[in-house]
Amino acid sequence: MINIDKKKVAVISLVAVVLMFLLFIFAVIRFNNLDKIPDNPQYFTDQAETWIEDDPDSEEGVMINIHRATNAKSIFLDHKQEYYFGGRRLTFFMHGYYQGNEFSEIYVDPDAFDNLPTGISSGEELAFLEEHALMRNTPNFVPDDGIPEGFIMAREETSDEQPVLVFYIFVDEDWKDYMSYTNIMWGEDLFDKSKMQVREFDFSNGQSGIYVDKINDADWFLEGKRGGIFVGEISLESLDITSQKDLNASFIYLQ
Amino acid sequence: MGTNEVAVKVILILVVIAVAAGVAFKFKDIAEPVLEIVNTMLYDDVLDRYGEWQLKDKEAINSMSALLYSVNRLAWLDTYSSSGWVDSSAEKYICTRKQLNQYEKDESRYPYPCPEGYVCNIPALALPNMPIYCDKVVDEDVEGELKEERQLSGLEIGSFESFGRSYGDTKVIPTIVDTMIIYYKTELVTDDIQAREDEISKKIALNMLYCFQQFKDKGRNNVRCSAGDFSGVDKKIEIDSEDIKNGFKLLEEDPLLCDQYCQDMLKDLTGGDWYNFFNGKNWEMDIEGEIITHETAGSKMIRICGDDGTSKTVDKESGAGSWQDFTNGVQDFFFLDRIFVTDDVGRCVSPVDQMLFTLHIEGFNLPQAVDVPGHPSATDLALLSNPYAAPSVLMSDPELALQVPQNLLYSVMPHGDPKYITYYEKFPEGEDSSWAMNEYMTAVFKIDTDFFLAALNGLPVVGPPMSFYLGSTAEGRQVVANTLARIEQAAKNSKGVFDIDFISIIGDSMADLLGFVKSHEGDMFAGINIHSGPVQNYLVVKYAGLSFFDKDYRKFVQDAAEEFSINEKNQKTLLSFGKAKDGFSDVYVKIIEQYFDENKEIIIGNRLSPDIMVEMEEILGELAEDSRFTEALAEKLDEEIFENLGDILFLFRGVSQANDKLLSWQDTASQDIVLTELRDMLEANDAYIDEAEKDHETYKEFEDNLEIALPMMLEEQEKNTELLSNFSSSGKDLDLLDKMAKDISQKLDDAQKKIFSGGRNLVDTDASLEREKLSRQVLIRMIRDASINEKFYFIGTNSIGLRTPYRGTVVYDDKWTRDWDWASQSDTERKDTYLEYFEHFGGYTDEEASDALANKYFSEKYFGLLPEVNRYYLSIQRDKLWRWFDQPNLRFHLVSPCKADIQIRVTNCECYGTSAKGYDDTTITSMFTDLARPSMYETGTKNPDIPELYVANFDGTNKMLYSIDSDGTVIKECPPKKTISLPWTEASYSPTCIEINPIIDDSVFPNYCYRGQKPPLLAGADVFLNWALPTGCGSMPIFGLMGGPLCGVFGKMLYYPMEQYFYSWPLHGGDFAKGET
């Protein structure tokens, strides 16, 4: 016959019950607390306005947070945006024209070179020339510095449960003031007018002095066609101009 | 004298004579010495080129190895990394990202590496962009499982660490492009170090919190959030994990920065309160040394990222494990949500890294010693570079005026090109103008001076104002005196152009040889005329940098002789060959010709043909029937030609060019006479020189070197002609021109007699010593020209070449791959050598080699880089500092001296142009290179000129333009945008590229690497001095009709030294650092 020490059993049982109780309490507290922890913070948002952030490197500047807008799938480097799109690398090149003069990121007043102070360092020289910028094609804006600034950004979205490519166009307050008109021209073949479309830029959306518009039907990029998206003083008639000296318009474009 | 020795010498004589005669048969004139060299280029052993280069310049070869490895490795990863990079959200798995098109559906050409048990399922009609699946091998009666069983191809990618390599002091470091860079700066103005540390710690904590948000928002998938550049942080500050912990606390206590939501997130990130202990701490600091300082910037960037923890499953030592593991791990809810502050780039790997992955070469170096004189201070240069300030600076500071033109002088290179040039497929035309222009500048500088001084003294109408400006004032005289002083230096430097040392070496060698011959007079050398052209010119070429051809001439013959067991009978036969030298030479020429088919392509592995054997028998008798002899001879020739293939091609082309040059020699000689005439004019009328005897002597010294400089001057005939036409079109002094014309005519005759007495025979045995001297100069010049032009020849599709003057371009696989019959020889002993090649240049491990390489790389023949690299165009990213004057990407090339770190990554390039006919001359360097382009054709279409030729899109997707040379070699073309075109007037395309971005080490001076951006301030000077000044003078009556040209000359004299300083080899783009991406 087995001798059972009832006292020991009682103690062990009590300890077990206490431990289970404590465990239960901890679990309740823990899971109750888990509910309080925001589990889905929605950092990567779909609203264009939420991508416009203060520029930490500029007191008055704002910036388009491409990282945030593209779900950390895109980079902007050397005036081109690269996109990791469904396992493929897509690359979009940015350029611009200021009154018929071509530039990549910044167009500087040519007269500034004549007034360049002597005896300054290359950094100071750079800053001096930056001050004399006349137009910028960049995700970093200063909306009211008198310099028209614009930017075109590719983004992956979903349509009918299929990934599609769309483009957001940002221009600042100075752009609106400076340009005689602002059109968006886009299409898959710059050498065939019938494949290009034009409409006016919609200035009704935006914030912090930045206006946003969007082009949805631009999937030709996925087929490897160069085409392009143009924003600014541009129209189908512009395509009839064959010489740069006859072009006096200002616009930015992406190919 | 032993029997063998006699035999060896006899053969030696025979070969020399045979080659001389044989070449005369083929190329005439100066071809003799060149081919003579070809026939003496023998090595003791079968030395590979790689080894040879290694012996000569270890830094260069290490750097090239690092570069080749990086390019190969990136291409390999980008091509096959779908197994590792695959997006976990993607449903489609493909066995490779290499795309097929309907013209390339032969599976054997693309042995895709599917895992064991799977095969690559290439559809019958493979269209571009169609994914190729790995299907499981199943019995035919077990169908219906294919879709479920499809998998990724199985090549293991390895960890980040496994991609690193070291080649001597040059290191390859795997890294990524940082997309969000946070610049941390201490902004608080206080002496309290703790307060400043708190400031930085708090900012780090905030960015970690942002990262935590991102990590969670991505469903706890790995994400790279930001990279920190701490170079703006106070040097005394050191941040460790305790500081970051404190940063969290400070952040939590800051209501402006952290609301309730933020505080909840912080609790989750840091482990929170006691009741939240199950959650644990969700961040970690993983930095070597455990502290962050101001030095953590650039390549030492500290990154903040979210990692699900599975990356630790990869064995860092062996690199085992596929990158796909990184993204497919199981989340540990409680303990593995980790936000890292780390310097380990292997953390947080995600599919997007395919786009961000970069190899960083640290310490790339193509060394070249350049004797750099002292240069002015930055302030002086800034003043000097200002078009308004420069003239006054020059006048007020003679020392400065002396220093600037020196930069023109040290940029004159003795050998025509810098010591090292490496390039992709072909050196980009026009990019040599930084140093080719220097010769032009030297000539123009001299010619301008002639015109300038002649105008001052010989043209009284124009003279007074200019004399007043420069001749009649002390300051002006000082400027001219300084200029002439520089000419003195130019005269000395001009000797370097032709490297007088060579001449003395030649002289010494000739003396040695003469002494040797004299001692053997009456012996077997009696038949050789030491004064003969071939011998002399052989020495010229040999010592002009081609000494590598002269490794061991005797050993070649000796080996051949020993291998056929020479006996007395054969000795006699050999002696009899001397009498039959002409016949032997014919045979020899035919042997050489056997290595070239009608298209001048080299046929390696050839042996003596039956026809040649018949001819040899007629001459050699029984000896020719001795297979041991013929085999030995053939094998030696085979090795000889194979080992020196590039150099042979170079010399053959050089011979051809030299002959062309000779044909136009008499025409071009006239320009020298013009210079002489101008000099005479100057001496006869120059009152200024009478007053400045010292300058006159200096000038005379330069003139004395004109004969040496003659070939150089002659090459500038177009420029000279242009100047002369400007001069004559002014119509200023017809009598003077008449007089010049008569004198020139006479002097032309004299010069022709002097240079070419007896015709264009540069190897005339009766040549006077003076003419011999000139002949040698001319020959050196021709070889030098051939060497300069060599870089413009196509070296093959998908090839990287490295060249130095006077040698064929080394293409880095020609030894180990050109004659490799992979299918039949894969099991031979050469396999190890071949695998060694791949391991070295491709960076494969032995394990990889045994699996992937054995299957893949032994199945097809190719030239150049690994076949995977052929998908890409290799471009160089140049200066990006002045973003409004950015230089477009160009075909990859680097030029010594070049010390830089290099970033290499896969991207797309932007190219412009359409299929078009253009000029055929591959060496053309046009002033209008922007407009003039070579014939180019579009990939993916039939070639319009060669209908049977189809070149597929290199990357399988994007079209591209290509060029083709007369040998049928195809190279890729990616021209930049024309400056005058509009987006809708010039077609563009965007092929896949490997972009090579040198970040020039600005602590090294001088440092060139590539032609830098012309500084904006120099653009202003250009406009003022070269355009505004002559235009202004031309419009002012006081200067007369010659005002424009004279002010133009004056402007050039001021501008060129400035440009030299800022823009030309060996300096890079004004000595400004290049923008880093």
Side-chain angles (χ1 to χ4, degrees):
Chain A
M1 186 171 176
I2 302 169
N3 286 326
I4 299 173
D5 187 338
K6 293 181 179 177
K7 195 176 177 180
K8 279 186 180 174
V9 170
V11 170
I12 291 170
S13 299
L14 182 63
V15 170
V17 169
V18 169
L19 283 176
M20 286 178 65
F21 177 74
L22 286 175
L23 194 62
F24 174 75
I25 295 297
F26 279 133
V28 168
I29 293 172
R30 166 64 183 150
F31 287 105
N32 187 46
N33 191 58
L34 277 182
D35 293 341
K36 293 179 182 174
I37 297 174
D39 200 36
N40 187 15
Q42 279 288 308
Y43 178 84
F44 301 106
T45 53
D46 292 327
Q47 295 74 41
E49 290 78 8
T50 59
W51 311 328
I52 302 170
E53 300 177 353
D54 289 341
D55 186 344
D57 298 322
S58 166
E59 274 188 20
E60 298 171 350
V62 294
M63 56 174 267
I64 311 302
N65 189 333
I66 298 170
H67 180 77
R68 183 174 204 164
T70 60
N71 200 18
K73 287 185 174 180
S74 178
I75 58 174
F76 181 68
L77 198 67
D78 296 331
H79 58 80
K80 66 185 178 189
Q81 185 189 0
E82 293 187 38
Y83 213 113
Y84 183 78
F85 188 94
R88 294 170 60 186
R89 179 190 301 100
L90 299 178
T91 308
F92 307 98
F93 299 86
M94 319 279 181
H95 300 283
Y97 277 81
Y98 178 81
Q99 295 182 356
N101 298 297
E102 190 188 6
F103 67 98
S104 295
E105 285 182 66
I106 303 175
Y107 183 75
V108 175
D109 184 355
D111 293 339
F113 296 123
D114 293 339
N115 300 319
L116 196 66
T118 56
I120 61 175
S121 70
S122 59
E124 291 168 327
E125 178 186 302
L126 193 64
F128 176 86
L129 294 172
E130 287 248 26
E131 283 176 16
H132 291 79
L134 296 176
M135 187 168 164
R136 290 196 183 97
N137 183 10
T138 167
N140 298 81
F141 294 78
V142 182
D144 57 355
D145 61 350
I147 301 169
E149 290 153 336
F151 185 65
I152 306 171
M153 184 191 76
R155 185 171 192 262
E156 179 184 353
E157 293 188 355
T158 304
S159 174
D160 296 332
E161 299 184 350
Q162 293 295 316
V164 295
L165 198 59
V166 302
F167 290 87
Y168 285 84
I169 300 160
F170 304 87
V171 299
D172 71 355
E173 199 70 52
D174 300 315
W175 179 292
K176 187 180 178 187
D177 295 340
Y178 174 80
M179 300 291 170
S180 55
Y181 64 96
T182 298
N183 277 344
I184 303 174
M185 181 175 79
W186 74 104
E188 66 180 67
D189 190 350
L190 291 171
F191 298 91
D192 185 349
K193 269 189 191 179
S194 68
K195 293 182 177 174
M196 300 299 290
Q197 304 177 61
V198 179
R199 69 167 168 82
E200 285 186 18
F201 186 93
D202 180 1
F203 282 99
S204 62
N205 299 311
Q207 70 169 42
S208 306
I210 307 296
Y211 298 97
V212 190
D213 204 341
K214 182 180 177 184
I215 295 294
N216 284 312
D217 46 344
D219 268 359
W220 75 84
F221 278 114
L222 298 176
E223 298 162 15
K225 294 176 182 171
R226 289 285 283 169
I229 298 174
F230 295 72
V231 183
E233 296 168 335
I234 193 86
S235 65
L236 290 178
E237 288 69 39
S238 305
L239 301 178
D240 296 328
I241 299 173
T242 56
S243 171
Q244 192 176 344
K245 63 182 171 56
D246 298 329
L247 182 74
N248 193 33
S250 301
F251 56 87
I252 59 172
Y253 68 97
L254 170 148
Q255 281 192 304
Chain B
M1 187 176 287
T3 307
N4 283 352
E5 191 178 347
V6 171
V8 166
K9 289 184 176 176
V10 168
I11 294 172
L12 179 75
I13 296 164
L14 290 176
V15 173
V16 169
I17 294 171
V19 169
V23 168
F25 161 78
K26 192 171 177 65
F27 289 108
K28 311 283 190 292
D29 294 339
I30 68 161
E32 299 172 18
V34 177
L35 275 186
E36 185 175 351
I37 306 309
V38 172
N39 294 317
T40 57
M41 50 189 185
L42 306 168
Y43 291 152
D44 291 334
D45 300 302
V46 184
L47 287 177
D48 60 86
R49 288 186 173 202
Y50 178 78
E52 187 195 352
W53 282 101
Q54 196 164 32
L55 292 173
K56 287 189 173 178
D57 204 328
K58 217 164 186 175
E59 281 178 303
I61 197 63
N62 282 336
S63 296
M64 289 304 297
S65 296
L67 178 72
L68 289 163
Y69 162 72
S70 301
V71 170
N72 282 333
R73 184 49 114 174
L74 265 182
W76 193 87
L77 277 172
D78 192 61
T79 304
Y80 299 116
S81 60
S82 57
S83 58
W85 303 112
V86 69
D87 189 336
S88 57
S89 64
E91 294 180 356
K92 289 183 177 178
Y93 296 145
I94 57 176
C95 68
T96 177
R97 296 197 309 104
K98 180 188 276 290
Q99 307 296 314
L100 292 181
N101 65 43
Q102 55 191 331
Y103 295 93
E104 295 178 338
K105 54 191 176 186
D106 176 7
E107 186 176 1
S108 66
R109 285 176 57 79
Y110 298 99
Y112 297 109
C114 288
E116 188 176 351
Y118 290 79
V119 294
C120 201
N121 181 17
I122 299 177
L125 179 62
L127 297 173
N129 299 320
M130 182 179 286
I132 311 299
Y133 293 92
C134 289
D135 288 347
K136 189 174 184 179
V137 178
V138 292
D139 294 336
E140 288 184 359
D141 57 349
V142 187
E143 294 181 351
E145 297 181 8
L146 288 181
K147 191 172 182 182
E148 288 72 30
E149 294 291 347
R150 281 185 173 174
Q151 288 199 1
L152 303 169
S153 57
L155 278 187
E156 291 181 345
I157 301 298
S159 66
F160 266 84
E161 288 82 355
S162 69
F163 306 143
R165 288 288 186 282
S166 286
Y167 300 89
D169 293 334
T170 308
K171 293 182 172 52
V172 179
I173 302 166
T175 184
I176 58 162
V177 175
D178 291 299
T179 56
M180 283 284 287
I181 298 178
I182 311 289
Y183 295 94
Y184 293 89
K185 288 180 280 190
T186 38
E187 291 170 348
L188 282 179
V189 183
T190 173
D191 292 334
D192 185 350
I193 294 292
Q194 186 59 47
R196 285 188 280 177
E197 280 187 355
D198 288 349
E199 180 191 11
I200 300 300
S201 302
K202 191 172 161 185
K203 197 169 180 183
I204 294 172
L206 182 63
N207 284 305
M208 290 174 73
L209 187 69
Y210 289 153
C211 192
F212 196 42
Q213 265 185 294
Q214 295 176 41
F215 183 62
K216 286 197 163 196
D217 195 16
K218 284 184 83 73
R220 293 188 175 82
N221 278 314
N222 288 6
V223 61
R224 297 186 186 277
C225 302
S226 63
D229 185 326
F230 290 82
S231 56
V233 168
D234 190 301
K235 290 181 181 177
K236 294 176 184 171
I237 289 178
E238 293 181 346
I239 307 286
D240 58 17
S241 61
E242 286 302 314
D243 292 317
I244 292 179
K245 215 182 272 183
N246 190 43
F248 285 127
K249 189 178 167 199
L250 293 169
L251 183 63
E252 190 176 9
E253 292 169 353
D254 187 338
L256 291 176
L257 276 178
C258 200
D259 57 12
Q260 186 58 47
Y261 169 83
C262 161
Q263 293 192 15
D264 288 343
M265 288 291 292
L266 268 178
K267 281 174 186 167
D268 193 7
L269 176 60
T270 59
D273 299 325
W274 67 270
Y275 54 79
N276 198 27
F277 70 91
F278 277 119
N279 189 28
K281 182 181 130 190
N282 281 321
W283 68 274
E284 195 171 312
M285 184 165 171
D286 177 24
I287 295 172
E288 192 178 351
E290 301 297 326
I291 55 167
I292 299 171
T293 70
H294 76 285
E295 291 177 349
T296 48
S299 61
K300 296 177 182 173
M301 203 87 82
I302 298 293
R303 297 178 177 90
I304 296 175
C305 65
D307 194 319
D308 66 11
T310 54
S311 59
K312 289 186 176 177
T313 61
V314 173
D315 182 349
K316 289 187 179 179
E317 292 299 318
S318 67
S322 170
W323 285 19
Q324 69 187 94
D325 293 340
F326 290 128
T327 57
N328 292 341
V330 176
Q331 302 292 322
D332 185 315
F333 178 77
F334 293 107
F335 297 109
L336 292 179
D337 288 350
R338 290 277 167 80
I339 299 304
F340 282 91
V341 183
T342 180
D343 57 359
D344 178 3
V345 76
R347 292 270 181 208
C348 315
V349 173
S350 78
V352 184
D353 284 354
Q354 176 183 352
M355 199 171 65
L356 308 177
F357 186 71
T358 299
L359 287 173
H360 177 91
I361 300 177
E362 202 171 81
F364 181 91
N365 192 13
L366 296 179
Q368 179 165 4
V370 180
D371 184 21
V372 184
H375 57 287
S377 68
T379 304
D380 288 340
L381 278 172
L383 287 171
L384 197 58
S385 305
N386 184 312
Y388 304 105
S392 61
V393 171
L394 282 170
M395 290 180 188
S396 62
D397 189 349
E399 282 303 309
L400 188 61
L402 285 174
Q403 284 175 329
V404 173
Q406 281 184 315
N407 295 294
L408 179 149
L409 303 171
Y410 70 70
S411 59
V412 175
M413 283 173 288
H415 303 297
D417 277 340
K419 184 178 179 185
Y420 292 109
I421 300 178
T422 181
Y423 52 92
Y424 174 61
E425 295 183 342
K426 170 181 174 286
F427 189 78
E429 286 166 13
E431 288 306 300
D432 60 337
S433 62
S434 291
W435 60 86
M437 284 291 281
N438 293 327
E439 289 186 29
Y440 168 61
M441 291 306 163
T442 306
V444 168
F445 195 64
K446 189 245 169 279
I447 294 165
D448 282 355
T449 307
D450 284 339
F451 272 97
F452 181 65
L453 296 177
L456 276 180
N457 300 285
L459 298 172
V461 174
V462 184
M466 298 306 288
S467 295
F468 176 77
Y469 189 62
L470 285 175
S472 303
T473 66
E475 291 83 1
R477 268 201 290 273
Q478 187 62 54
V479 169
V480 175
N482 290 340
T483 304
L484 292 175
R486 294 307 90 209
I487 292 175
E488 177 185 9
Q489 186 60 43
K492 290 175 182 170
N493 201 285
S494 69
K495 293 178 183 176
V497 172
F498 297 98
D499 211 334
I500 298 302
D501 285 347
F502 287 156
I503 306 301
S504 63
I505 291 170
I506 290 163
D508 293 343
S509 301
M510 284 181 66
D512 290 345
L513 190 54
L514 273 170
F516 179 79
V517 170
K518 197 169 183 181
S519 67
H520 292 79
E521 202 165 3
D523 204 300
M524 69 283 292
F525 282 96
I528 293 184
N529 179 3
I530 195 61
H531 297 291
S532 71
V535 173
Q536 292 183 10
N537 290 320
Y538 160 77
L539 292 170
V540 170
V541 177
K542 172 182 171 183
Y543 288 106
L546 296 169
S547 57
F548 61 94
F549 281 145
D550 197 37
K551 277 278 182 183
D552 194 342
Y553 175 77
R554 286 167 180 251
K555 191 161 175 33
F556 167 73
V557 182
Q558 195 171 3
D559 286 350
E562 286 178 356
E563 285 178 26
F564 77 92
S565 303
I566 193 165
N567 54 37
E568 191 176 346
K569 184 181 176 185
N570 287 337
Q571 287 177 38
K572 289 178 182 175
T573 308
L574 282 171
L575 285 171
S576 70
F577 295 162
K579 297 170 186 172
K581 58 185 179 182
D582 292 341
F584 186 88
S585 70
D586 288 345
V587 171
Y588 196 88
V589 167
K590 289 191 177 180
I591 291 172
I592 294 291
E593 285 177 337
Q594 283 300 303
Y595 290 87
F596 297 85
D597 64 12
E598 64 274 10
N599 294 321
K600 300 288 181 194
E601 289 179 345
I602 306 297
I603 304 168
I604 294 297
N606 200 359
R607 293 291 182 269
L608 301 182
S609 72
D611 291 345
I612 290 176
M613 293 305 297
V614 169
E615 290 194 43
M616 284 184 71
E617 283 173 14
E618 292 176 2
I619 301 164
L620 304 178
E622 293 178 7
L623 194 58
E625 295 174 1
D626 190 323
S627 61
R628 292 168 300 176
F629 172 73
T630 54
E631 282 297 314
L633 184 61
E635 285 182 17
K636 294 293 172 194
L637 285 168
D638 201 0
E639 286 176 7
E640 170 192 340
I641 291 180
F642 173 66
E643 292 295 327
N644 298 282
L645 199 57
D647 299 318
I648 291 172
L649 287 171
F650 157 59
L651 286 173
F652 267 78
R653 284 194 285 260
V655 167
S656 174
Q657 290 170 15
N659 278 330
D660 292 343
K661 184 81 80 177
L662 280 175
L663 292 174
S664 61
W665 182 258
Q666 291 182 17
D667 295 335
T668 59
S670 62
Q671 297 306 314
D672 175 63
I673 307 307
V674 172
L675 296 178
T676 307
E677 172 61 21
L678 286 168
R679 181 195 61 191
D680 291 342
M681 280 173 55
L682 186 62
E683 288 179 350
N685 304 308
D686 192 354
Y688 178 78
I689 288 182
D690 290 341
E691 295 172 2
E693 187 58 30
K694 185 181 175 185
D695 290 340
H696 177 74
E697 289 303 317
T698 302
Y699 189 74
K700 285 288 289 179
E701 186 179 341
F702 181 68
E703 290 300 304
D704 289 341
N705 285 290
L706 262 182
E707 186 174 79
I708 294 174
L710 177 63
M712 182 183 77
M713 295 296 188
L714 293 178
E715 188 164 287
E716 305 307 325
Q717 61 166 327
E718 286 184 13
K719 316 289 188 306
N720 299 347
T721 303
E722 185 183 347
L723 286 172
L724 280 175
S725 63
N726 287 340
F727 184 78
S728 58
S729 64
S730 70
K732 192 58 202 166
D733 194 332
L734 294 177
D735 289 341
L736 178 65
L737 290 176
D738 281 347
K739 177 180 178 299
M740 283 176 64
K742 286 175 186 171
D743 289 351
I744 286 170
S745 176
Q746 179 60 47
K747 288 179 180 178
L748 260 178
D749 289 343
D750 293 345
Q752 286 182 8
K753 284 174 187 168
K754 180 180 175 187
I755 299 171
F756 303 117
S757 59
R760 291 184 288 108
N761 183 3
L762 294 175
V763 293
D764 187 343
T765 54
D766 296 326
S768 67
L769 191 61
E770 188 181 359
R771 193 170 70 250
E772 284 179 14
K773 182 182 171 189
L774 185 58
S775 298
R776 286 195 294 272
Q777 303 290 350
V778 170
L779 185 60
I780 289 175
R781 175 69 207 188
M782 289 175 174
I783 293 294
R784 188 168 169 270
D785 284 352
S787 173
I788 291 169
N789 289 331
E790 185 71 5
K791 61 183 175 291
F792 295 113
Y793 285 95
F794 296 5
I795 56 171
T797 316
N798 197 32
S799 295
I800 285 184
L802 175 67
R803 66 166 289 97
T804 65
Y806 309 116
R807 295 202 57 181
T809 299
V810 174
V811 178
Y812 265 81
D813 73 340
D814 53 5
K815 171 173 169 48
W816 281 322
T817 61
R818 273 188 189 272
D819 73 334
W820 182 241
D821 183 351
W822 311 17
S824 66
Q825 296 184 340
S826 59
D827 294 329
T828 68
E829 59 185 16
R830 297 184 73 173
K831 179 180 175 182
D832 288 340
T833 307
Y834 193 56
L835 288 178
E836 188 183 326
Y837 167 82
F838 279 105
E839 187 175 349
H840 189 79
F841 288 123
Y844 296 95
T845 63
D846 289 341
E847 290 77 17
E848 287 170 339
S850 61
D851 296 333
L853 294 181
N855 292 329
K856 179 173 180 56
Y857 297 110
F858 289 155
S859 62
E860 63 177 285
K861 185 180 282 190
Y862 67 91
F863 299 113
L865 295 162
L866 297 184
E868 284 80 359
V869 185
N870 196 38
R871 295 178 59 218
Y872 308 86
Y873 176 81
L874 268 58
S875 75
I876 179 173
Q877 188 190 94
R878 300 185 293 163
D879 287 356
K880 296 286 183 188
L881 183 60
W882 293 285
R883 284 173 289 176
W884 44 91
F885 276 158
D886 280 352
Q887 292 182 301
N889 281 15
L890 267 190
R891 177 185 295 287
F892 166 72
H893 65 283
L894 286 172
V895 176
S896 66
C898 181
K899 184 94 176 357
D901 287 352
I902 294 180
Q903 298 273 16
I904 307 179
R905 63 184 292 259
V906 176
T907 182
N908 288 83
C909 290
E910 195 171 35
C911 316
Y912 292 85
T914 51
S915 178
K917 290 287 285 183
Y919 56 79
D920 295 325
D921 185 354
T922 55
T923 63
I924 192 168
T925 304
S926 167
M927 288 176 65
F928 305 103
T929 49
D930 194 43
L931 302 174
R933 287 176 176 171
S935 296
M936 291 190 291
Y937 310 95
E938 188 178 312
T939 58
T941 60
K942 292 279 186 185
N943 188 301
D945 296 330
I946 314 169
E948 63 274 19
L949 178 66
Y950 174 84
V951 177
N953 295 332
F954 293 105
D955 62 5
T957 303
N958 300 294
K959 74 165 192 175
M960 190 164 189
L961 296 181
Y962 68 91
S963 296
I964 183 165
D965 72 1
S966 56
D967 293 336
T969 306
V970 167
I971 64 167
K972 298 159 198 161
E973 294 282 4
C974 179
K977 186 176 183 294
K978 290 177 183 173
T979 53
I980 58 170
S981 70
L982 293 168
W984 49 83
T985 60
E986 189 176 27
S988 62
Y989 54 101
S990 178
T992 315
C993 279
I994 290 178
E995 188 177 76
I996 298 166
N997 177 17
I999 300 147
I1000 293 176
D1001 186 341
D1002 56 7
S1003 67
V1004 175
F1005 182 88
N1007 202 353
Y1008 182 78
C1009 292
Y1010 56 89
R1011 189 172 60 156
Q1013 178 62 282
K1014 187 179 285 190
L1017 44 79
L1018 196 58
D1022 185 8
V1023 170
F1024 177 77
L1025 295 173
N1026 290 333
W1027 299 93
L1029 189 62
T1031 306
C1033 289
S1035 62
M1036 295 173 69
I1038 188 173
F1039 289 110
L1041 293 173
M1042 286 295 287
L1046 282 174
C1047 286
V1049 167
F1050 178 68
K1052 281 180 184 176
M1053 289 176 69
L1054 289 178
Y1055 176 76
Y1056 286 151
M1058 283 189 236
E1059 187 182 64
Q1060 288 295 314
Y1061 186 87
F1062 280 108
Y1063 199 44
S1064 294
W1065 187 94
L1067 300 173
H1068 174 85
D1071 198 22
F1072 288 106
K1074 173 180 183 297
E1076 184 176 351
T1077 58

